Amino acid sequence: MPLLPPLADDDMSPEARAVLDDIRATRRTDYVNDIWRVLANDPRQLRLTWENVKKVMVPGALDPLTKELVYIAVSVANACGYCIHTHTASARDKGMTDGMLNELMEVVTLATQTNRLAIGYQVELDARYRRR
Amino acid sequence: MPLLPPLADDDMSPEARAVLDDIRATRRTDYVNDIWRVLANDPRQLRLTWENVKKVMVPGALDPLTKELVYIAVSVANACGYCIHTHTASARDKGMTDGMLNELMEVVTLATQTNRLAIGYQVELDARYRRR
Amino acid sequence: MPLLPPLADDDMSPEARAVLDDIRATRRTDYVNDIWRVLANDPRQLRLTWENVKKVMVPGALDPLTKELVYIAVSVANACGYCIHTHTASARDKGMTDGMLNELMEVVTLATQTNRLAIGYQVELDARYRRR
Amino acid sequence: MPLLPPLADDDMSPEARAVLDDIRATRRTDYVNDIWRVLANDPRQLRLTWENVKKVMVPGALDPLTKELVYIAVSVANACGYCIHTHTASARDKGMTDGMLNELMEVVTLATQTNRLAIGYQVELDARYRRR
Amino acid sequence: MPLLPPLADDDMSPEARAVLDDIRATRRTDYVNDIWRVLANDPRQLRLTWENVKKVMVPGALDPLTKELVYIAVSVANACGYCIHTHTASARDKGMTDGMLNELMEVVTLATQTNRLAIGYQVELDARYRRR
Amino acid sequence: MPLLPPLADDDMSPEARAVLDDIRATRRTDYVNDIWRVLANDPRQLRLTWENVKKVMVPGALDPLTKELVYIAVSVANACGYCIHTHTASARDKGMTDGMLNELMEVVTLATQTNRLAIGYQVELDARYRRR
């Protein structure tokens, strides 16, 4: 029960349809996740989001698998179940093994733990990190 | 003004001191971050945390730099300034360039954005991800 | 499976019942959301919460629809599915269109994105905003 | 001490400079906030973010002041001090009074409170909200 | 640089002044924290908040020190530095030792850690907890 | 649909099996929660987490029930439904009544409310709390 319904291709505007066609072409798949079909209710947001994904998730200084791992880590930190599931699937497609997933969760958990300790005790930044 | 003072080596218990010595030996440096000196007020938490860091941040299915990138991403998601600064420094020591830092922030921002859209519209998980 | 059961009118204390009667009278409806029936297990919290709602959500310097939009935005930021659904319904009752909902989500997403960038890069407040 | 320095106009790439010129022209001001100067270290993120701001914060189904109020609310929920200060200034420029700011904080606080109660007691969505 | 200035007694409305007088009388101290002086800019929110504190933080099924410990734990989870400092001071006044503070942080950190694992792996609730 | 399946005793490694045996022995129960069976996919994380639980949740400066209450409070703040349910069950086993649960939720809600006000208005720490 999302707030707005996932739209079938025939029910969305031509502008939204063009974005979905680009998703299919770029990803070389016929399947488009429901989040895109929900966003199709707002073609502007759909296009902004997809353009952002297209520009950011390509190979660059970081490789696409590393980017997916970071994506999952952030989704775990933000407790987005939808995103955890879909990006775990994407990461697996790009080569993530169960062993890598487990180590990812170890790092996410460890970071969360020390984040909480630094915030909890209100630790102040060491002088040496205050200089640039 | 942390809740408890960062302890100098001479002011901490032998148990805490042993952990700091191990941090210095493991990291091959004389400098120990203040978070460890604050944790030295609770030797049990100090040891638990350091043992966790030692076991998790080593090379494994993921390499140490990837682990640092994930660490920074989680620290940004949790808004821990202390951790962002100290782990950015660690990541630079392991080879992170400005270009990699920028791409990391791009992915963190993008993931945060789609996390919020999936949660905001209450998008339900596609049937295909519900099967294992 | 809430931690405590939503109580039927006949199962709650007179004090809780009086709050539910006031909710019905104030909102001119026979239906009372389950959150109030769960809170009826703690009449003090029920009364404190309802008094707060009654004082805050009335017309004032901000109109009731604007207040509902802010309410939804906060609920999205806090990932409260229950609150997103119920306050989207309230906002629709007060005139929120699909177009307004979509723009609301656009702003929530954009703010989340720049929040994360400011925190991620640890941007310091410009001198001009530090003066009052 | 941001992770990367805010860049002066002369120190940034032509692509970044063009974005800052557009910010000045669009906002009819000579002053550009430091967050944009920090983002200038990553011209792609700078452009993506500014394009998003330009498309979203214009008058539409919601007026610009309402959008600023939502922006502040989200920034409070995400504890971004930088964003709270800068968008409070923007909102004041668009007509926000102290009275409106106070009511905004009242709604943010109330929503946060009921968000936590719904999550805390794990209240389930009433059947009537599950239908579309 | 709070958004609105902390008000001196002579600069606030009689309604706000009455709340501050009640805080002083109830707490048997001349000192009133700045958060109350900032809230004095919105006497309604000031009164609502203080009434809530007065009703909740008294001895009941839980003793006042346990309530302060929970208060600190939540403030750590929400990363509110102001609240961590002021409620640590309150808890110390009520008998919290350094040893108790350290164990509190241990539990907060442990809970955060398992929260993240449960969310990260998207663990589903065991059938036995789904029954009431 | 967790990311990795909860493992039956016969499907896990001897190292993981030993941890589950220790959980059963320590808790004097045959039942082991699914989170441990999911973590059994990563024996290192399983052991690290269980060792942490064993060291932290014992009687010390704080009693075990107080620790469970803090655990629930943190789980509510982090919106971990799994943890809220399982630790509410643990707390009930240790003597938590409905009245205590309700007061716990009152404190969590109140703290969340003042956390948000302190952050929202960007209240600065009073000088008297800045000294140690």
Side-chain angles (χ1 to χ4, degrees):
Chain A
M1 61 219 132
L3 299 190
L4 295 174
L7 299 180
D9 280 27
D10 291 346
D11 296 334
M12 61 183 71
S13 70
E15 187 189 359
R17 178 64 193 265
V19 173
L20 262 74
D21 286 343
D22 192 40
I23 293 174
R24 277 184 282 249
T26 306
R27 296 188 166 170
R28 287 180 198 133
T29 171
D30 277 346
Y31 190 76
V32 179
N33 287 4
D34 268 4
I35 189 171
W36 301 109
R37 296 189 178 282
V38 170
L39 291 181
N41 289 281
D42 179 8
R44 179 166 64 182
Q45 179 73 65
L46 174 67
R47 203 183 54 246
L48 277 169
T49 307
W50 172 241
E51 282 172 6
N52 205 342
V53 170
K54 263 183 90 168
K55 282 183 188 148
V56 169
M57 297 303 283
V58 295
L62 302 178
D63 64 275
L65 178 51
T66 299
K67 290 185 176 187
E68 286 292 349
L69 296 173
V70 170
Y71 213 116
I72 295 170
V74 172
S75 301
V76 171
N78 289 332
C80 179
Y82 186 88
C83 313
I84 292 169
H85 278 287
T86 54
H87 282 274
T88 296
S90 303
R92 286 192 191 283
D93 286 347
K94 291 177 181 156
M96 183 182 72
T97 61
D98 280 2
M100 293 166 82
L101 176 63
N102 284 329
E103 291 199 8
L104 177 66
M105 292 298 177
E106 288 177 9
V107 179
V108 170
T109 306
L110 175 63
T112 303
Q113 186 178 358
T114 57
N115 290 175
R116 218 39 62 190
L117 287 168
I119 291 169
Y121 283 106
Q122 295 281 294
V123 183
E124 297 194 318
L125 193 60
D126 306 53
R128 68 159 52 191
Y129 298 110
R130 275 183 231 146
R131 294 187 301 267
R132 280 196 52 80
Chain B
M1 59 218 136
L3 299 190
L4 295 173
L7 299 180
D9 280 27
D10 290 346
D11 297 334
M12 61 182 72
S13 70
E15 187 189 359
R17 177 65 192 264
V19 174
L20 262 73
D21 286 342
D22 192 39
I23 293 175
R24 277 184 282 250
T26 306
R27 295 188 166 170
R28 286 180 198 133
T29 170
D30 278 345
Y31 190 76
V32 179
N33 287 4
D34 268 4
I35 189 170
W36 300 109
R37 297 190 177 282
V38 170
L39 291 180
N41 289 282
D42 180 10
R44 178 166 64 181
Q45 179 72 64
L46 174 68
R47 202 183 55 246
L48 276 169
T49 307
W50 171 242
E51 281 172 6
N52 205 341
V53 169
K54 262 183 91 167
K55 281 182 189 150
V56 169
M57 297 303 284
V58 295
L62 301 179
D63 64 275
L65 177 52
T66 299
K67 290 185 175 186
E68 287 292 348
L69 296 174
V70 169
Y71 213 116
I72 296 171
V74 172
S75 301
V76 171
N78 288 333
C80 179
Y82 186 88
C83 314
I84 293 169
H85 279 286
T86 54
H87 283 275
T88 296
S90 302
R92 286 192 191 282
D93 285 348
K94 290 176 184 156
M96 183 182 72
T97 61
D98 281 1
M100 293 167 81
L101 176 62
N102 284 329
E103 290 198 9
L104 176 66
M105 292 299 176
E106 288 177 8
V107 179
V108 170
T109 306
L110 176 62
T112 304
Q113 182 179 3
T114 58
N115 289 174
R116 218 40 62 187
L117 287 168
I119 291 169
Y121 283 106
Q122 294 280 294
V123 182
E124 297 194 317
L125 194 60
D126 305 55
R128 68 158 54 190
Y129 298 109
R130 275 184 231 144
R131 297 186 299 268
R132 280 198 50 83
Chain C
M1 63 219 131
L3 300 189
L4 295 174
L7 299 180
D9 280 26
D10 291 346
D11 296 335
M12 61 182 72
S13 71
E15 188 189 358
R17 176 65 192 264
V19 173
L20 262 74
D21 286 341
D22 191 39
I23 294 175
R24 278 185 281 251
T26 306
R27 296 188 165 170
R28 289 185 196 127
T29 170
D30 277 345
Y31 190 77
V32 179
N33 286 5
D34 268 5
I35 189 170
W36 301 108
R37 296 190 178 284
V38 171
L39 291 181
N41 290 282
D42 179 8
R44 178 166 64 183
Q45 179 73 65
L46 173 67
R47 204 183 54 244
L48 276 169
T49 307
W50 171 241
E51 281 172 6
N52 205 342
V53 170
K54 262 183 89 168
K55 281 182 189 149
V56 170
M57 296 304 282
V58 294
L62 301 179
D63 63 276
L65 177 51
T66 299
K67 290 185 175 186
E68 286 292 349
L69 295 174
V70 170
Y71 213 115
I72 296 170
V74 171
S75 302
V76 171
N78 288 334
C80 178
Y82 186 88
C83 314
I84 293 170
H85 279 287
T86 54
H87 282 274
T88 296
S90 302
R92 285 192 191 283
D93 286 347
K94 290 176 182 156
M96 184 181 72
T97 60
D98 280 3
M100 293 166 81
L101 176 63
N102 284 329
E103 291 198 8
L104 177 66
M105 292 299 177
E106 288 177 9
V107 179
V108 170
T109 307
L110 175 63
T112 304
Q113 187 178 359
T114 57
N115 290 175
R116 219 37 64 190
L117 287 168
I119 291 169
Y121 284 106
Q122 294 280 295
V123 182
E124 298 194 317
L125 193 60
D126 306 54
R128 67 159 52 191
Y129 298 110
R130 275 184 231 145
R131 294 187 300 267
R132 279 199 52 81
Chain D
M1 62 221 135
L3 299 189
L4 295 174
L7 299 179
D9 280 27
D10 290 346
D11 296 335
M12 61 182 72
S13 71
E15 187 189 358
R17 177 66 193 263
V19 174
L20 261 74
D21 287 342
D22 192 39
I23 293 176
R24 277 184 281 251
T26 305
R27 295 188 165 170
R28 289 183 197 129
T29 171
D30 277 345
Y31 191 76
V32 179
N33 287 4
D34 268 5
I35 189 171
W36 300 109
R37 296 190 177 283
V38 170
L39 292 181
N41 289 282
D42 180 7
R44 178 167 64 183
Q45 180 72 65
L46 173 68
R47 203 183 54 246
L48 276 169
T49 307
W50 171 241
E51 281 172 6
N52 206 342
V53 170
K54 261 183 90 168
K55 281 183 189 147
V56 169
M57 297 304 282
V58 295
L62 301 178
D63 64 276
L65 177 52
T66 299
K67 290 185 176 185
E68 286 292 348
L69 295 173
V70 170
Y71 214 115
I72 296 170
V74 172
S75 302
V76 171
N78 288 334
C80 179
Y82 186 87
C83 314
I84 293 170
H85 278 287
T86 54
H87 283 275
T88 296
S90 302
R92 285 191 192 282
D93 286 348
K94 290 176 183 157
M96 184 181 73
T97 61
D98 280 3
M100 294 166 81
L101 176 63
N102 284 329
E103 291 198 8
L104 176 66
M105 292 298 177
E106 288 177 9
V107 179
V108 170
T109 306
L110 175 62
T112 304
Q113 186 178 359
T114 58
N115 289 174
R116 218 38 63 190
L117 287 168
I119 291 168
Y121 283 106
Q122 295 280 294
V123 182
E124 298 194 317
L125 194 59
D126 307 54
R128 68 159 52 190
Y129 298 109
R130 275 184 232 146
R131 295 186 301 267
R132 278 198 55 80
Chain E
M1 61 220 135
L3 299 190
L4 295 174
L7 299 180
D9 280 27
D10 291 346
D11 295 335
M12 61 182 72
S13 70
E15 187 190 358
R17 177 65 192 265
V19 174
L20 262 74
D21 286 342
D22 192 40
I23 294 175
R24 278 184 281 250
T26 305
R27 295 188 167 170
R28 288 181 197 132
T29 171
D30 277 346
Y31 189 76
V32 179
N33 288 3
D34 268 5
I35 189 171
W36 300 108
R37 296 190 178 283
V38 170
L39 291 182
N41 289 281
D42 180 8
R44 179 167 64 183
Q45 180 72 65
L46 173 68
R47 204 184 53 245
L48 276 169
T49 307
W50 172 241
E51 281 172 6
N52 205 343
V53 170
K54 263 183 89 168
K55 282 184 188 147
V56 169
M57 297 303 283
V58 295
L62 301 179
D63 64 275
L65 177 53
T66 299
K67 290 185 176 186
E68 287 292 348
L69 296 173
V70 170
Y71 213 115
I72 296 170
V74 172
S75 301
V76 172
N78 288 333
C80 179
Y82 186 89
C83 313
I84 293 170
H85 279 287
T86 54
H87 282 275
T88 296
S90 302
R92 286 192 190 283
D93 286 347
K94 290 177 182 156
M96 183 182 73
T97 61
D98 279 3
M100 293 166 81
L101 176 63
N102 284 329
E103 291 199 8
L104 177 65
M105 292 298 176
E106 288 178 9
V107 179
V108 170
T109 306
L110 175 63
T112 304
Q113 182 179 2
T114 58
N115 289 175
R116 217 40 62 189
L117 287 168
I119 291 168
Y121 283 107
Q122 294 280 295
V123 182
E124 297 195 317
L125 193 59
D126 306 54
R128 67 160 51 192
Y129 298 110
R130 274 183 232 146
R131 293 187 302 268
R132 278 198 53 80
Chain F
M1 59 217 137
L3 299 190
L4 295 173
L7 299 180
D9 280 27
D10 290 346
D11 296 335
M12 61 182 72
S13 70
E15 186 189 359
R17 177 66 192 263
V19 174
L20 262 73
D21 286 341
D22 191 38
I23 293 175
R24 277 184 283 251
T26 305
R27 295 189 167 170
R28 287 180 197 132
T29 170
D30 278 345
Y31 190 76
V32 178
N33 287 3
D34 269 4
I35 189 170
W36 301 109
R37 296 190 177 283
V38 170
L39 292 181
N41 289 281
D42 179 9
R44 178 167 64 181
Q45 179 73 65
L46 174 67
R47 203 183 55 246
L48 276 169
T49 307
W50 170 241
E51 282 172 7
N52 205 343
V53 170
K54 262 183 91 168
K55 281 182 190 150
V56 169
M57 296 305 283
V58 295
L62 301 179
D63 64 275
L65 178 52
T66 299
K67 290 185 176 187
E68 286 291 349
L69 295 174
V70 170
Y71 213 116
I72 296 171
V74 172
S75 301
V76 171
N78 288 334
C80 179
Y82 186 88
C83 314
I84 293 170
H85 279 287
T86 54
H87 282 275
T88 296
S90 303
R92 286 191 191 283
D93 286 347
K94 290 177 183 155
M96 184 182 71
T97 61
D98 280 2
M100 292 166 82
L101 176 63
N102 285 329
E103 291 199 8
L104 177 65
M105 292 299 177
E106 288 177 9
V107 179
V108 170
T109 307
L110 175 62
T112 304
Q113 183 179 2
T114 57
N115 289 174
R116 218 38 62 189
L117 287 169
I119 291 168
Y121 284 106
Q122 294 280 294
V123 182
E124 298 194 317
L125 194 60
D126 306 55
R128 68 159 51 189
Y129 298 110
R130 276 184 231 145
R131 296 188 300 269
R132 283 197 50 81

